[in-house]
Amino acid sequence: MMRACHLLPIALLAGCAATPEQFTEDEVARAAKVKAYSASSIAPVHEVIGPVRSNSCDSGSFERYQGTQGEAIWLLKLQAARLGGDLVVDYRCRTRTLDPISRCLESKRCEGQAAVRD
């Protein structure tokens, strides 16, 4: 089971994504088809529809784990699907340690753009 930030009001201020459980079955199915292109890769011709951000982290729960880039990218895809996109473009990820706002010991944060193919 994937985890993300659990304190949603604080998490929104910190730029954290919603948890995977907060997406519908339809959004999850559409997200599985979303393609992601990092900032260093060439994406197909597209139109940007909005920014997406995610945070995969150990949120201080009893089940400690390090955030993963794969989970953070999956959260970007879920958000892109929610916005009606079929691509995530120009994404960048970084590792953050000891994040007091989201209560993460270590997190993987990603930012990018949701887009649709032209």
Side-chain angles (χ1 to χ4, degrees):
M1 180 173 174
M2 294 191 310
R3 296 154 187 72
C5 290
H6 296 288
L7 298 174
L8 193 55
I10 293 172
L12 289 174
L13 293 174
C16 182
T19 63
E21 293 81 16
Q22 294 173 319
F23 291 90
T24 66
E25 287 183 34
D26 180 57
E27 289 168 332
V28 170
R30 285 186 286 127
K33 298 175 185 173
V34 171
K35 301 291 184 197
Y37 296 88
S38 70
S40 63
S41 63
I42 299 172
V45 177
H46 60 275
E47 180 180 335
V48 171
I49 55 177
V52 289
R53 283 183 239 162
S54 67
N55 188 25
S56 168
C57 69
D58 172 351
S59 63
S61 67
F62 290 112
E63 300 175 31
R64 300 252 183 225
Y65 73 102
Q66 291 182 341
T68 67
Q69 186 164 320
E71 180 180 78
I73 293 169
W74 173 242
L75 289 166
L76 292 179
K77 290 179 176 185
L78 284 165
Q79 291 177 44
R82 178 170 278 172
L83 293 173
D86 58 2
L87 299 171
V88 172
V89 298
D90 298 327
Y91 77 83
R92 295 180 192 276
C93 298
R94 68 185 189 280
T95 300
R96 187 148 189 204
T97 57
L98 299 175
D99 185 346
I101 295 172
S102 60
R103 296 180 33 195
C104 295
L105 297 177
E106 180 173 292
S107 64
K108 297 290 185 188
R109 291 181 177 242
C110 296
E111 297 178 354
Q113 300 290 326
V116 292
R117 292 177 208 262
D118 279 344

